[in-house]
Amino acid sequence: MDGHTLAGEPVTEETLLAGGYRKYHGEAIDVYYNKEICIHSGNCVRGNSAVFEVGRRPWIMPDNGEAPQVAQVIHTCPSGALKFITKEQS
């Protein structure tokens, strides 16, 4: 899946929020998560447990990793439940 597109189009905060995604704010990257489409593959947690930790609230902390690495992990999400917008994209 592509973490910065939705239906082949670049994501915007408005489309993600309207689509049921929740925003997790970071300094360099914002991460968006949609629990309704998550298949719990665990790629995110295995990819960077400092950023993605299911036992913590909030469970996504974008600033616990470098933006390019966070984006790389999000690209491994097979369901598209995770998306991102970097501050350069805004």
Side-chain angles (χ1 to χ4, degrees), residues 66-79:
E66 296 294 321
Q69 200 275 335
V70 174
Q72 181 180 6
V73 170
I74 291 171
H75 282 304
T76 71
C77 178
S79 66

Side-chain angles (χ1 to χ4, degrees), residues 2-12 15 83:
D2 190 337
H4 64 279
T5 64
L6 188 62
E9 297 294 322
V11 295
T12 66
T15 59
K83 299 291 184 187

